[in-house]
Amino acid sequence: MRRHGAAALMALAALAPLAGCGSSDGDSTDKPTGDETTAAARDMGPLCVGKAPADGLHVLHGGGFKLPGGGGVQYEEGQGDGTTRTASLREGETYQAGQKTRTVKPGQQTTLSGHVYTVSQICSYRVVLEPKDPKDRAKAAAAPKSIKPVGGKADDGLCFTTNAAVRAAASKGFPPKGDDWVLINNNGKQDLPTGVSAAVYAVDNAAKTATIRAVCAGVQVVSFTDAAVGDTIEVAGVTFKVSKVTEKAVRLTRTAA
């Protein structure tokens, strides 16, 4: 998938794109170097490497995730060489200067905020992390007090969860598999049942690409800055393919059951 690294990751109020470029485990970076555009152009796939377990945490492209063991992580950028994939992860669920980044491979174990996670799957559109500690897995799967969102941090249990009831409620908020979900360009925000708000923020009509973002519990959970026809995008646990991009709207066809 063609991806340009986002210019910066800000707080929810600005809904700014995620930033950064990958570096070796433990290195600290503040700003993108500009090389991510070239890197994205060389992405040869495959779409995914590895398998996503049922209790896996879905960290979505350009988005952040609050981890059950504490702290957070962002999926900055992915790269495919035609055989396998790597991903650049940044510590913290929202962008701040000086955060550490690391490059991970499928099957690798990585420590985030003192807790160990297995990188079960890397896709162009997500990284799936599996907590090693059973207590962290149980915390991620815990049922929230209510499935009705109220806004802000109170929705953490809806936005950063593996709970089956929450995922089912989120799934019902979208058209069924094979049908289209249409996002209107500029201020066409759609609020989904479990607290996610998604919108198209810009369209490059000449390139036929779009900037699509989603926010949940005060965290930007998805950010694609150059989504094009054929690209896969995930929102709230449901996958879509971009099927049409026009100046007025983006059409996404649901591919997940």
Side-chain angles (χ1 to χ4, degrees):
M1 185 183 291
R2 301 169 298 281
R3 293 284 173 261
H4 302 286
L9 175 63
M10 308 297 289
L12 168 65
L15 293 181
L18 287 173
C21 57
S23 64
S24 60
D25 193 357
D27 288 344
S28 177
T29 59
D30 294 343
K31 297 290 182 181
T33 64
D35 295 334
E36 54 269 41
T37 297
T38 302
R42 292 197 299 265
D43 191 324
M44 302 297 291
L47 183 65
C48 294
V49 177
K51 294 183 179 181
D55 58 355
L57 313 175
H58 292 202
V59 187
L60 306 179
H61 184 276
F65 193 99
K66 291 186 178 181
L67 296 167
V73 65
Q74 303 150 50
Y75 178 15
E76 287 188 301
E77 200 61 69
Q79 182 64 46
D81 63 6
T83 302
T84 191
R85 298 199 68 87
T86 59
S88 175
L89 301 181
R90 188 180 187 96
E91 292 187 2
E93 70 272 13
T94 57
Y95 175 82
Q96 294 182 36
Q99 290 169 325
K100 294 181 179 180
T101 63
R102 68 196 66 195
T103 298
V104 295
K105 300 177 181 180
Q108 177 181 336
Q109 288 193 346
T110 189
T111 301
L112 297 163
S113 299
H115 292 243
V116 178
Y117 297 85
T118 299
V119 182
S120 300
Q121 184 186 59
I122 298 178
C123 301
S124 58
Y125 59 93
R126 74 183 181 197
V127 172
V128 180
L129 302 176
E130 186 174 15
K132 186 174 182 179
D133 189 332
K135 293 181 180 178
D136 290 342
R137 293 199 297 271
K139 185 175 181 180
K145 294 180 180 179
S146 172
I147 293 183
K148 184 177 180 179
V150 296
K153 292 182 179 181
D155 291 343
D156 282 359
L158 299 176
C159 302
F160 312 109
T161 183
T162 62
N163 181 265
V166 174
R167 287 184 169 179
S171 178
K172 291 179 181 178
F174 296 107
K177 183 178 181 179
D179 281 5
D180 293 336
W181 180 38
V182 178
L183 292 173
I184 305 300
N185 186 21
N186 290 325
N187 300 317
K189 184 180 74 168
Q190 292 195 20
D191 295 323
L192 300 168
T194 55
V196 179
S197 294
V200 172
Y201 282 81
V203 169
D204 184 332
N205 202 39
K208 297 299 180 184
T209 60
T211 297
I212 302 172
R213 297 178 190 144
V215 173
C216 199
V219 174
Q220 182 170 272
V221 292
V222 182
S223 178
F224 287 89
T225 58
D226 63 347
V229 171
D231 286 349
T232 297
I233 291 176
E234 180 174 331
V235 180
V238 179
T239 54
F240 301 84
K241 274 194 179 295
V242 180
S243 52
K244 190 173 184 179
V245 177
T246 70
E247 187 175 3
K248 294 183 178 180
V250 175
R251 186 173 69 197
L252 304 168
T253 302
R254 181 168 175 170
T255 57

